């Protein structure tokens, strides 16, 4: 009996030791059983609501992103932070909508000099970049780093400039590879990008941004366009940096922000993808550069090829995560920074890039119509998000920060305008909802309030009249109901006043909204 008792005690001690070992803390001080999931946020650039197969696209092939949707959740009513690049990214990273966030427009900081000259920027790095965020501004990366995450970023930054405190490695990212300056990102074959805070020179020559096809060249000859396809495709370089980061940090919780340039023009993509879609679409009229950026012999094929190239890399990323054994513990979110573009040879109408939101000249980037700010969002998280699901929960970029805080077990900052989407993602708990969503851009404002959408466009001297749409019956916003529902107009105008704070950065202040201009 005594021997049996000893064996029982010994077995119990072994179980306790094994249990303790299984729960021992890692280098972040957190239990391995309770370690936070990895988080990858993928941001496309100017990808329209209808440009993925899972959102109804029929001409462009996106099998890997569509597979993410099959394995996870599709959001049908998700909104970007703004209708253009920089403020949308500011909203995403800070959790504050454009009535409160630091960066509220694509201000190029022109007082410095020749900020649009690629050759001048190559010689003088003080001409690169944009107005910086305030020094005290937190980002998702700085919060998750505090929570024990390794943090990395690849792609387009657009929220500051070299020699300021507003570059990725000073805003919470342990690693960065990509473009600090959005204007240099107008070419996929730049002379340099950045790795951390240093230039990474590529085997490419600078070509004037916006160069048109020289008149002495035959526009129907593919050889006339060889100048615009050089050696080092920046998306390849940035993807390699991202993959290396993930491999190196596979044993720690990591957060990676992949802010791809695609499909923002210029139309530049490895030739194999252009060839693929030339065979699919047939011959087409060349783009000579008359709407900015660089010319291309086959603009529709190149655009579709860019999206499919991006999709191919998404597939490579998922395969790498599975190879490393971390896919099952990784939350992947995919979205776009605003609606489809209108320049550079892209043809949003032909591709029906805004999908069910409309295909006119207003349902695009820069507009507060649904096509300009409603964007695709897909979330995949094995065993946490039910596969093949969809939601009509109304959400926006400023919800991402509180969501990722909750995922990481970090307190949600009081200053955020966002609401965590975690209950919707996991199907557990009660999902809070927004009473209103608010946007501003220059002298334009928009509000989503339940079924109602109010848009105010402005002249330079006075506020324009508010347009009112019922999204429940008119998703393409074709019928202005402002005169029919004056009480709703009054409510929305009140929201526009209440949600707007004067920008802390003077350059973003708008006198038409009652702000002091310096």
């Amino acid at each position: 009996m005594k021997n049996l008792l000893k064996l029982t005690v010994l077995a119990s001690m072994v179980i306790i030791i094994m249990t303790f070992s299984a729960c021992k803390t890692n280098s972040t001080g957190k239990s391995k059983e309770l370690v936070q999931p990895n988080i990858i946020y993928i941001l496309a650039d100017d990808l329209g609501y209808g440009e993925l197969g899972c959102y109804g696209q029929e001409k462009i092939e996106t099998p890997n992103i569509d597979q993410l949707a099959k394995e996870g959740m599709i959001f049908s009513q998700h909104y970007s932070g703004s209708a253009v690049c920089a403020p949308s990214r500011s909203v995403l990273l800070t959790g504050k909508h454009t009535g409160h966030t630091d960066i509220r427009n694509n201000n190029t900081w022109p007082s410095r000099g020749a900020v649009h000259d690629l050759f001048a920027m190559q010689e003088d790095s003080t001409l690169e970049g944009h107005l910086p965020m305030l020094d005290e501004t937190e980002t998702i990366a700085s919060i998750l780093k505090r929570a024990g995450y390794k943090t990395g970023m690849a792609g387009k930054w657009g929220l500051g400039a070299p020699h300021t405190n507003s570059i990725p490695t000073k805003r919470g990212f342990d690693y960065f590879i990509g473009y600090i300056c959005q204007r240099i990102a107008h070419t996929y074959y730049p002379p340099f990008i950045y790795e951390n805070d240093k230039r990474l020179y590529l085997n490419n020559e600078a070509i004037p941004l916006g160069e048109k096809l020289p008149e002495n060249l035959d526009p129907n000859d593919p050889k006339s366009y060889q100048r615009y396809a050089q050696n080092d495709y920046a998306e390849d370089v940035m993807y390699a940096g991202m993959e290396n980061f993930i491999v190196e940090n596979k044993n720690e919780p990591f957060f990676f922000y992949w802010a791809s340039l695609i499909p923002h023009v210029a139309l530049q993509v490895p030739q194999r993808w252009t060839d693929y879609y030339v065979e699919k679409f047939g011959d087409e009229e060349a783009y000579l550069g008359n709407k900015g950026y660089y010319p291309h012999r086959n603009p529709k094929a190149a655009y579709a090829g860019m999206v499919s190239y991006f999709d191919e890399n998404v597939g490579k990323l998922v395969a790498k995560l599975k190879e490393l054994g971390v896919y099952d513990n990784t939350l992947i979110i995919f979205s776009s920074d605003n609606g489809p573009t209108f320049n550079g040879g892209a043809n949003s109408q032909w591709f029906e890039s805004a999908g069910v939101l409309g295909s006119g000249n207003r349902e695009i980037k820069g507009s507060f119509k649904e096509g300009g700010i409603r964007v695709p969002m897909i979330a995949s998280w094995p065993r946490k998000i039910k596969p093949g699901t969809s939601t009509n929960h109304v959400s926006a970029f400023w919800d991402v920060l509180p969501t990722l805080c909750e995922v990481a077990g970090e307190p949600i900052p009081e200053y955020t305008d966002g609401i965590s989407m975690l209950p919707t993602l996991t199907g557990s708990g009660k999902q809070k909802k927004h009473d209103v969503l608010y946007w501003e851009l220059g002298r334009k404002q928009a509000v989503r309030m339940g079924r109602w959408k109010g848009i105010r466009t402005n002249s330079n001297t006075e506020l324009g009249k508010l347009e009112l749409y019922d999204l429940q019956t008119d998703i393409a916003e074709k019928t202005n109901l402002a005169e029919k529902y004056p009480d709703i107009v009054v409510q929305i105008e009140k929201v526009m006043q209440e949600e707007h704070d004067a920008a802390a950065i003077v350059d973003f202040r708008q006198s038409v909204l009652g702000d002091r201009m310096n």
Side-chain angles (χ1 to χ4, degrees):
M1 179 66 70
K2 288 184 178 180
N3 289 336
L4 180 61
L5 180 61
K6 288 181 179 179
L7 287 173
T8 303
V9 172
L10 180 61
S12 299
M13 290 177 65
V14 169
I15 292 172
I16 291 171
I17 292 170
M18 290 177 65
T19 302
F20 177 78
S21 298
C23 295
K24 68 181 179 179
T25 58
N26 59 19
S27 61
T28 66
K30 295 184 180 293
S31 166
K32 280 191 173 180
E33 286 192 345
L34 300 177
V35 69
Q36 306 103 319
N38 306 311
I39 301 168
I40 298 177
Y41 188 93
I42 307 173
L43 185 68
D45 195 342
D46 294 0
L47 183 77
Y49 186 81
E51 290 190 313
L52 301 173
C54 53
Y55 279 83
Q57 177 60 222
E58 296 181 349
K59 295 173 181 175
I60 304 172
E61 299 171 22
T62 56
N64 295 295
I65 299 172
D66 296 345
Q67 185 62 32
L68 269 185
K70 290 178 182 178
E71 296 178 1
M73 177 178 289
I74 289 179
F75 282 64
S76 63
Q77 298 194 76
H78 187 67
Y79 290 89
S80 63
S82 181
V84 295
C85 295
S88 194
R89 293 156 197 269
S90 180
V91 170
L92 174 68
L93 290 180
T94 67
K96 299 178 183 180
H97 65 52
T98 41
H100 299 147
T101 199
D102 291 355
I103 308 300
R104 304 196 187 184
N105 210 328
N106 282 339
N107 191 308
T108 59
W109 204 359
S111 60
R112 296 173 294 166
V115 296
H116 293 279
D117 186 331
L118 183 56
F119 295 93
M121 287 189 282
Q122 188 173 2
E123 295 298 320
D124 182 0
S125 60
T126 66
L127 297 175
E128 295 178 55
H130 300 252
L131 283 167
M133 293 187 289
L134 300 174
D135 285 351
E136 62 269 23
T137 298
E138 284 192 313
T139 68
I140 289 175
S142 60
I143 293 172
L144 292 182
K145 185 173 181 178
R146 187 167 64 238
Y149 278 73
K150 295 292 185 180
T151 57
M153 176 184 173
K156 187 170 84 174
W157 176 242
L159 298 174
H163 318 295
T164 73
N165 289 326
S166 193
I167 60 174
T169 51
K170 293 187 177 181
R171 291 307 166 110
F173 289 98
D174 296 314
Y175 176 75
F176 169 71
I177 185 167
Y179 297 77
I180 290 178
C181 178
Q182 289 188 167
R183 297 181 304 286
I184 296 176
H186 289 178
T187 172
Y188 287 79
Y189 294 98
F192 63 88
I193 55 176
Y194 276 79
E195 188 166 32
N196 297 321
D197 60 349
K198 299 289 191 299
R199 283 183 176 183
L200 176 63
Y201 285 93
L202 306 180
N203 187 19
N204 301 319
E205 295 181 3
I207 298 176
L209 298 174
E211 178 180 285
K212 295 180 181 179
L213 188 71
E215 293 182 359
N216 64 321
L217 297 180
D218 179 1
N220 295 315
D221 186 353
K223 294 181 180 178
S224 299
Y225 302 85
Q226 289 178 344
R227 168 175 168 80
Y228 308 106
Q230 299 190 55
N231 300 297
D232 292 335
Y233 192 58
E235 286 284 337
D236 286 341
V237 179
M238 295 185 297
Y239 178 87
M242 172 177 65
E243 190 171 280
N244 288 339
F245 174 91
I246 291 172
V247 170
E248 290 174 0
N249 293 284
K250 64 181 180 180
N251 295 322
E252 302 288 340
F254 63 80
F255 165 64
F256 205 93
Y257 171 38
W258 179 14
S260 173
L261 275 62
I262 293 174
H264 193 298
V265 288
L267 297 171
Q268 294 173 310
V269 68
Q271 188 62 37
R272 61 187 174 86
W273 274 114
T274 300
D275 292 343
Y276 179 85
Y277 279 103
V278 167
E279 184 175 348
K280 182 175 181 176
F281 297 157
D283 193 26
E284 58 176 305
E285 184 179 349
Y287 171 64
L288 306 182
N290 55 305
K291 290 186 178 180
Y293 301 89
Y294 296 130
H296 200 285
R297 175 61 188 86
N298 302 97
K300 293 174 184 173
Y303 187 85
M306 290 167 70
V307 177
S308 288
Y309 165 89
F310 185 24
D311 176 82
E312 179 182 46
N313 277 352
V314 170
K316 286 169 58 179
L317 173 63
V318 170
K320 177 57 68 173
L321 294 171
K322 290 180 178 178
E323 176 189 323
L324 296 173
V326 299
Y327 177 73
D328 286 347
N329 192 39
T330 301
L331 167 62
I332 300 175
I333 298 176
F334 179 98
S335 193
S336 175
D337 66 342
N338 47 246
T341 194
F342 51 86
N343 57 8
N347 193 330
S348 297
Q349 284 71 43
W350 191 77
F351 285 108
E352 297 184 274
S353 296
V356 296
L357 306 178
S359 58
N361 291 327
R362 295 183 64 193
E363 291 78 34
I364 51 177
K365 173 180 180 175
S367 167
F368 279 151
K369 295 291 283 289
E370 290 291 281
I373 54 175
R374 192 188 290 205
V375 291
M377 177 177 156
I378 297 164
S380 171
W381 190 4
R383 296 194 296 271
K384 296 290 185 179
I385 296 176
K386 186 178 179 180
T389 52
S390 62
T391 178
N392 61 5
H393 172 64
V394 179
S395 58
F397 270 22
W398 48 99
D399 295 329
V400 174
L401 184 145
T403 301
L404 299 190
C405 284
E406 190 168 7
V407 166
E410 189 72 7
I412 297 172
E414 293 184 1
Y415 59 71
T416 180
D417 293 306
I419 294 172
S420 173
M421 300 177 284
L422 190 59
T424 293
L425 294 175
T426 61
S428 176
K430 185 176 181 180
Q431 177 64 64
K432 296 180 180 178
K433 297 181 180 181
H434 287 283
D435 294 325
V436 297
L437 298 177
Y438 173 79
W439 299 264
E440 64 182 60
L441 178 63
R443 295 178 173 89
K444 297 185 291 186
Q445 294 172 286
V447 168
R448 170 80 191 264
M449 186 176 70
R451 65 191 292 176
W452 300 105
K453 172 85 168 293
I455 303 174
R456 170 174 279 157
T457 56
N458 324 77
S459 70
N460 289 332
T461 56
E462 61 181 10
L463 287 173
K465 289 185 177 180
L466 189 139
E467 301 170 10
L468 181 67
Y469 301 98
D470 182 354
L471 298 181
Q472 188 167 301
T473 60
D474 181 23
I475 194 171
E477 298 164 294
K478 294 186 177 183
T479 305
N480 182 1
L481 301 174
E483 293 187 2
K484 187 175 181 180
Y485 296 97
D487 55 330
I488 302 297
V489 170
V490 170
Q491 291 180 47
I492 289 179
E493 287 178 333
K494 183 179 179 182
V495 172
M496 288 179 172
Q497 292 177 345
E498 293 175 345
E499 294 298 321
H500 166 76
D501 286 344
I505 299 173
V506 174
D507 300 66
F508 294 118
R509 293 184 184 176
Q510 303 295 334
S511 60
V512 75
L513 299 180
D515 297 345
R516 176 178 58 84
M517 296 290 286
N518 285 6

